[in-house]
Amino acid sequence: MPTAIVWFRKCLRLHDNAALTWACESSEVDSILPVFVMDEELGSGGTGGIGFNRARFLVQSLRDLDDSLQRELGLRLRIVRGGYLETMEAIIRGLDGSTPYLAYEYCSEPKSLSVSAEISGWELSGGMDFESRIFSGSHTLLDIEKTVSSENYSNPKSMKDMERIFQRQFGVDDFGFYDIGEPLPPPVSSKPMSEIVTLDSEVGISDLDEYLINNYPRRVLEAPYFRGGEGEALERLSRKVSGEKDYVNNFKKPRTSSTNLDEDHREPSTTGLSPYLSTGCLSIRMLWSECKKAYLMGEHTQPPESLHGQMMFREMFYLLSRSVDNWDQNTGNENCKDIDWGEYDSELVGCWEDGMTGYPYIDAMMRQLEETGWMHHLGRHAVSCFLTRGQLWQSWTAGRDVFERKLLDSDWAINNGNWLWLAGVAPFSMPYYRIYNPCPDSKSSLNVETNLAKFVRHWVPELKDYPSKYIFEPHLAPLDVQVSSGCIIGDDYPLPIVDRKESRAKNLERFKLSLQK
Ligand SMILES: Cc1cc2nc3c(=O)[nH]c(=O)nc-3n(C[C@H](O)[C@H](O)[C@H](O)COP(=O)(O)OP(=O)(O)OC[C@H]3O[C@@H](n4cnc5c(N)ncnc54)[C@H](O)[C@@H]3O)c2cc1C
C-alpha cells in the first residue's frame, strides 16, 4: 500500500486541512509523510521577501504544527530546505514500494501555479511514478480556479459583485447565509511511516531557531506580541470571536479604532487574526463559521462592514490576483492606472519605513509595524496614502515591498490588491482626491484616539510628554513647550520631511495630469 506525501503549503494546521484529512481517512493510503518545503526565502538574511517578524512567526508555526502532528497523530513534520520542484522530485523518487500519492492544497499565486503545472506535467508524462491529489478551496472560501474560469465570470469591483459570485457558487442555506459548508475537524487517526525515510537537505526546528539567532541576535530576545501556530490562532479566535457574540454582531470595520485598544497599544480593535489566516494556522472557513454562529443569535451587521464582509474582500483579491495579469506590477496590469510616480527616493522611503517622517501618527504606525509585524487597516490606509498620492509621491510598489517583508499577514494577493486600492490606481480604488490628513484630529475617519494620544506616546516615546494639543503636529509647538516636553523638533525628533499641504496640492495636480495623458 502506498505512502501519501502530505505537502503543507499554506495550511499550517490540523483543522480543516483537506489534504491531511484525506490521507488520514483514505483506504488507499498506508502511511503518511508530512512535508514542508522551505524555499530560498528564509535564507535571504532578512533583506529579501521575509523579514525577522515573519521568519520568527513561520518558525513558531512550524514548531506548533510538528508538535500537534506528533501529539495527535504520531506523525513528524519533515522540513526540507530547497526549491519546491527539486525537493518534491527527490522525495518522490526516494520512496520505495507502491506508487505514492502527493497530496497538497491549491495555491493561486503565479509561482505556486507554475510549480503545480510542472508537477502535473511529470505525472502526465509518466516519467515519474506517483499520483497527485490537489485540494481546492483550502486557503479561500471560493474555489478560485472554478470561479475565474466559469462562463459568467467578470472581475469583481465591489461588494455587490462579490455577493453575486458567492450566491452563484454557494447558494444560500435555510437561514439565508451562503451555503459555504463547515470546516473539517482535525483527523483523529493516522498512519505513521513504519520505516524512517532519509530526506536530503532536511532541517530541524532547532536549525531554524539557530538561523534566527545568527541573523537577528538582538531581535530574538524581544518577546513577540503575536506568536505563530494553530494553538495561538484558535485561542485568539475563541477570545476575540467565538466568545464575543456582541462584538461580532456589531462589528463595523470603518468604526474600529486605528490606534488599537486604549488599555493595550498593541492589541487590535479588530480581530487580529490576519497573521493566522495568511499562514493558514487558522482556516478562513472556521472564522466564517464562528461568525455565522454569532449571527444566528440575533441582529448583525452586513457586508461590506461586517466580518463576513472583510472575508469577502479577501476573496475578491484572490480572484483578481488570479485573473488579472501582472497583478503586482505598475505596467501591463489592467487594474492599475498609469501614473508618473516620482523616481524611487531611498531617503524618503527610508524615513517612511523607519518611522522618521516627522509626522507622529505615520511614524507610530510604521514603528508598530517594525516591532510587532502588524498595523490596523486604517493605519495602513494612512501610511500608504502618505507614501503615494498623499505626500511622498512614491510608487505603491515601494511600499508594497516594505509591507511584504514586515507584515506577519503578508499575502501576495491581498497586499498588492490593497496597495492598488490605496494608491488610487485601481477600478475599485477610493477617489484619488480623497487624501488622509497625516495629522488626524478626533473627527478623522482614521478613528484616532486623540484625547490622551496614548498610541503615539507609546510608539514615539520622544513625544511622550507632549501636550495632546501638539502631539500630532509637534513642530507647531512653541519652543518653550518643546523645551518643557523634553523634545526639540529638528534635534530630538525630525521636522516634517515634506510640507503636508504643499505636497498634497502638488501631488493632486500630478495625479490629474497623469490621468489626462
Ligand atoms: C496597504 C494595505 C496592505 C495590506 N496588506 C495586507 C496583507 O498583506 N495581508 C492581509 O491579510 N491583509 C492586508 N491588508 C488588509 C487589512 O488591513 C488586514 O487584513 C487587516 O487589517 C487585518 O487585521 P484583522 O485580522 O484584525 O482584520 P479584521 O477586520 O478582523 O478582518 C478579518 C479578516 O478579513 C480579512 N480582511 C480584512 N480586511 C481586508 C482587506 N481590506 N482586504 C483583504 N482581506 C481583508 C483578513 O484576512 C482579516 O484577518 C492590507 C491593507 C492595506 C490598506
Side-chain angles (χ1 to χ4, degrees):
M1 286 270 275
T3 296
I5 304 159
V6 175
W7 178 14
F8 287 84
R9 295 172 103 186
K10 279 192 171 181
C11 290
L12 303 184
R13 59 176 187 258
L14 265 53
H15 74 275
D16 203 31
N17 187 325
L20 178 66
T21 299
W22 169 80
C24 288
E25 291 179 355
S26 169
S27 57
E28 300 158 46
V29 172
D30 188 41
S31 56
I32 298 175
L33 180 63
V35 173
F36 179 82
V37 183
M38 189 159 274
D39 73 350
E40 72 281 2
E41 276 186 311
L42 200 62
S44 64
T47 52
I50 180 160
F52 167 69
N53 274 318
R54 277 190 70 193
R56 175 165 67 178
F57 193 87
L58 177 62
V59 173
Q60 289 165 345
S61 303
L62 291 172
R63 170 176 280 114
D64 180 82
L65 178 61
D66 183 37
D67 287 349
S68 8
L69 282 169
Q70 285 193 60
R71 193 179 57 243
E72 306 298 330
L73 301 171
L75 298 169
R76 292 264 3 216
L77 179 68
R78 313 289 296 272
I79 304 170
V80 182
R81 259 182 128 155
Y84 296 121
L85 288 170
E86 302 84 88
T87 304
M88 277 307 147
E89 184 176 353
I91 296 176
I92 294 168
R93 289 198 192 281
L95 287 176
D96 295 328
S98 353
T99 305
Y101 289 103
L102 175 60
Y104 59 99
E105 79 256 18
Y106 164 87
C107 289
S108 55
E109 290 173 25
K111 186 174 167 192
S112 308
L113 286 172
S114 71
V115 167
S116 305
E118 190 79 22
I119 291 175
S120 304
W122 297 343
E123 196 178 353
L124 288 173
S125 70
M128 258 200 292
D129 189 23
F130 74 103
E131 264 184 55
S132 295
R133 288 277 187 283
I134 305 173
F135 295 85
S136 50
S138 290
H139 194 60
T140 50
L141 297 165
L142 292 162
D143 179 331
I144 299 296
E145 212 60 35
K146 181 174 149 194
T147 311
V148 298
S149 54
S150 64
E151 228 174 80
N152 37 19
Y153 174 78
S154 58
N155 286 333
K157 293 188 189 63
S158 65
M159 191 50 71
K160 280 270 158 291
D161 294 342
M162 286 309 295
E163 282 170 346
R164 271 192 289 275
I165 288 172
F166 266 53
Q167 171 79 37
R168 268 203 301 270
Q169 188 160 133
F170 299 117
V172 288
D173 65 16
D174 296 344
F175 301 99
F177 292 102
Y178 299 117
D179 203 358
I180 278 171
E182 289 302 310
L184 295 166
V188 284
S189 64
S190 165
K191 302 147 184 169
M193 309 265 308
S194 51
E195 59 201 77
I196 296 176
V197 181
T198 313
L199 302 179
D200 289 342
S201 310
E202 181 169 5
V203 290
I205 301 277
S206 55
D207 299 315
L208 300 178
D209 281 337
E210 211 176 296
Y211 165 82
L212 292 178
I213 293 167
N214 291 338
N215 284 276
Y216 306 96
R218 280 204 304 275
R219 295 217 61 187
V220 280
L221 301 173
E222 295 165 13
Y225 189 67
F226 295 92
R227 284 191 75 83
E230 182 180 9
E232 291 282 330
L234 295 175
E235 188 279 323
R236 178 168 278 274
L237 177 73
S238 153
R239 177 159 50 88
K240 299 280 289 204
V241 175
S242 320
E244 291 291 339
K245 305 261 183 288
D246 288 345
Y247 170 79
V248 172
N249 288 342
N250 295 320
F251 188 93
K252 284 191 175 182
K253 183 65 164 276
R255 300 262 178 92
T256 57
S257 164
S258 68
T259 45
N260 300 344
L261 297 187
D262 286 349
E263 59 276 22
D264 185 344
H265 325 300
R266 294 180 299 178
E267 180 52 39
S269 60
T270 48
T271 65
L273 286 168
S274 53
Y276 303 98
L277 291 166
S278 291
T279 44
C281 294
L282 179 67
S283 137
I284 188 72
R285 195 166 285 100
M286 176 77 119
L287 175 57
W288 183 275
S289 163
E290 289 305 298
C291 291
K292 183 177 152 186
K293 282 181 195 158
Y295 295 161
L296 286 168
M297 311 281 283
E299 294 223 333
H300 57 86
T301 52
Q302 297 290 339
E305 295 179 321
S306 64
L307 272 168
H308 273 184
Q310 305 315 299
M311 289 178 251
M312 290 169 80
F313 277 128
R314 181 176 184 273
E315 300 289 312
M316 176 168 127
F317 291 128
Y318 272 95
L319 291 175
L320 290 171
S321 64
R322 176 67 186 102
S323 57
V324 174
D325 289 340
N326 303 310
W327 177 243
D328 56 357
Q329 305 287 323
N330 247 322
T331 50
N333 175 350
E334 68 178 43
N335 268 206
C336 179
K337 289 181 185 133
D338 183 14
I339 302 297
D340 292 330
W341 297 111
E343 282 280 296
Y344 178 80
D345 185 325
S346 56
E347 211 176 314
L348 288 182
V349 177
C351 288
W352 175 81
E353 175 175 353
D354 294 342
M356 293 296 278
T357 64
Y359 287 98
Y361 176 74
I362 301 294
D363 293 344
M365 287 292 166
M366 294 306 290
R367 293 181 191 190
Q368 181 195 14
L369 172 64
E370 168 67 14
E371 189 176 315
T372 69
W374 193 87
M375 190 194 294
H376 186 275
H377 186 58
L378 291 172
R380 300 183 199 203
H381 272 228
V383 301
S384 53
C385 179
F386 185 86
L387 181 75
T388 56
R389 67 199 156 88
Q391 271 67 42
L392 301 187
W393 198 247
Q394 294 289 294
S395 165
W396 60 275
T397 54
R400 180 272 318 275
D401 291 344
V402 172
F403 270 31
E404 184 173 315
R405 202 164 65 242
K406 294 192 171 183
L407 276 176
L408 292 178
D409 60 36
S410 174
D411 178 296
W412 184 80
I414 305 178
N415 195 27
N416 281 296
N418 275 286
W419 273 96
L420 287 164
W421 186 318
L422 264 299
V425 295
F428 44 82
S429 283
M430 62 214 300
Y432 73 91
Y433 46 82
R434 277 190 51 204
I435 289 177
Y436 292 107
N437 181 350
C439 306
D441 61 17
S442 62
K443 295 194 195 75
S444 165
S445 60
L446 294 168
N447 300 341
V448 181
E449 188 282 297
T450 53
N451 192 19
L452 299 174
K454 283 190 193 168
F455 181 82
V456 171
R457 288 179 206 286
H458 177 84
W459 293 109
V460 189
E462 301 95 301
L463 302 173
K464 70 178 174 15
D465 294 325
Y466 259 63
S468 294
K469 181 178 172 197
Y470 294 113
I471 200 164
F472 290 94
E473 221 158 353
H475 68 284
L476 299 184
L479 191 58
D480 62 320
V481 174
Q482 298 190 21
V483 171
S484 64
S485 305
C487 176
I488 306 295
I489 305 305
D491 289 343
D492 306 315
Y493 177 72
L495 280 160
I497 46 170
V498 290
D499 179 292
R500 69 178 169 87
K501 290 182 184 156
E502 273 174 24
S503 55
R504 177 183 187 280
K506 192 168 163 192
N507 294 339
L508 271 174
E509 201 48 40
R510 285 161 153 170
F511 207 106
K512 213 182 328 170
L513 281 175
S514 281
L515 293 181
Q516 286 162 1
K517 269 194 309 190

